[in-house]
Structures are given as C-alpha cells and as structure tokens.
Amino acid sequence: EMYFISPLDIHFTHDNINHKFTKFLDESTRQWKEPSLLDTARDCVSQDVPRQVEMIDVIWHEGKIYVAGTFNRRLCVWRLLCLYFPDRFGRLKVRFKQQWEKDRLFTHQKDGRTKLSTMCEGNWVEVRQTGFVGKQLATDPRWHTYSGYDCPYDPGVQWDAAHKLLGSMRAQLQR
C-alpha cells in the first residue's frame, strides 16, 4: 500500500552515504549511468522525478519511520528537495514493509552486518567527503559543540555544492 509522507519524517539507517548512486542501466539511452545525488536533485527540479527515486520502502522501528535498510541516498535527495522546494517536494511516495521483514531488511546479506549504523536515530546523515544533511537548512548552533555520529543536534545542510546548486535553482524559479 502506498502513502505520501514528508521526507523529514523518515529516518536514515546509515550514518554516512556515498555522494553517488550505484551504477544502473538507463532504459531510455541504454547507457550505464552513475549519477550524483545533486545531479539527481537537479533532474527532479528541472525535469520529472526519475522512476528510480520516485518512491522508497520504509518500515517502523522503535516508534519511528526508517528507510527499509537501503534507500538512504534517495532519502537524502528528497530531504534536499523538500528543504529547498517544500511546496513541490513536501511529500514522498513510500511503501511500508511488514515488521516480519525487518531483520532481513536491516542486515547485509553478504556478511550479516547490520545496515542500521546510525547513532543519531537517523535524523541526519553525512555525505562522505561532502557534508551533512539534516532536517532543516540552518545548522543548530549546538551542533558545533558536540562531535561524533551520535550528535543529537541538527547539522542542517552543510554542503556547499548543494547550497550553490539548489539555492540558485530556487532563486531562478522565484523570479
């Protein structure tokens, strides 16, 4: 069953993610693509939302909605879109997975490690070598007084390239 909820109400399972998606075969061009999260966000704003990111699977965990094991990079894109363009991207299509699937969804099949590596309850994620994405644009001032993946304060969006790209796109659309 499909629902539409705010990306800000969904929690990450990972504490950090890659700035690019895994390679996939583009059905229209028959070419292999490895888009960055920002390339994908730009495409969502300037074109239609690509099929690969239009919906994510989620699951209830400890009273909160989390991505269902994977989908962390997709959630990051949607968080950015929601923060910069809330009227257009304020709701994300999700599919709730059953509770009996949680152990499988939260476990790497290759080696049995957990996919639930977040220590901040999934409120924010580090985009490796790039920055952070939380639930608001501005950084909570207390963020800088605390260090580590268990920081309870919101980093906001600390990603210069995201601010530059999405901020300029927002300004152009407001003209």
Side-chain angles (χ1 to χ4, degrees):
E1 210 170 326
M2 305 297 169
Y3 295 90
F4 289 87
I5 61 177
S6 171
L8 305 178
D9 293 332
I10 304 169
H11 298 261
F12 296 101
T13 55
H14 297 333
D15 53 15
N16 66 79
I17 58 174
N18 195 325
H19 72 282
K20 289 187 174 186
F21 283 102
T22 305
K23 286 184 182 181
F24 69 94
L25 184 62
D26 185 320
E27 295 168 0
S28 62
T29 65
R30 307 297 295 157
Q31 304 250 340
W32 285 96
K33 292 177 83 174
E34 187 180 22
S36 73
L37 303 184
L38 291 182
D39 290 339
T40 304
R42 183 193 61 235
D43 291 349
C44 289
V45 174
S46 63
Q47 303 167 21
D48 290 329
V49 175
R51 183 185 55 77
Q52 292 88 348
V53 297
E54 71 181 355
M55 182 186 74
I56 65 174
D57 291 344
V58 296
I59 194 162
W60 284 99
H61 178 67
E62 297 180 353
K64 297 179 181 170
I65 301 169
Y66 280 79
V67 295
T70 57
F71 301 97
N72 288 277
R73 287 174 280 190
R74 294 176 209 191
L75 176 58
C76 184
V77 168
W78 274 93
R79 284 256 186 112
L80 290 168
L81 292 170
C82 180
L83 291 169
Y84 280 93
F85 307 96
D87 292 341
R88 183 169 171 199
F89 298 103
R91 296 281 180 256
L92 165 61
K93 186 178 3 176
V94 300
R95 176 177 51 199
F96 277 89
K97 301 304 271 183
Q98 299 296 317
Q99 287 298 297
W100 59 265
E101 296 179 272
K102 190 185 322 184
D103 285 344
R104 179 184 58 80
L105 294 169
F106 282 0
T107 305
H108 288 281
Q109 299 307 305
K110 291 179 186 175
D111 58 14
R113 288 180 303 119
T114 183
K115 292 181 183 178
L116 190 62
S117 63
T118 182
M119 295 185 333
C120 66
E121 298 182 355
N123 289 317
W124 54 266
V125 71
E126 178 184 17
V127 183
R128 285 183 227 125
Q129 290 94 36
T130 315
F132 297 90
V133 175
K135 293 184 174 188
Q136 58 193 26
L137 283 174
T139 302
D140 184 313
R142 298 170 293 178
W143 165 265
H144 300 292
T145 65
Y146 203 98
S147 65
Y149 282 121
D150 60 341
C151 181
Y153 307 113
D154 196 322
V157 176
Q158 293 184 40
W159 187 355
D160 291 341
H163 282 301
K164 184 177 179 182
L165 173 69
L166 298 172
S168 69
M169 292 182 86
R170 181 173 60 184
Q172 287 176 348
L173 291 172
Q174 290 174 341
R175 291 182 195 161

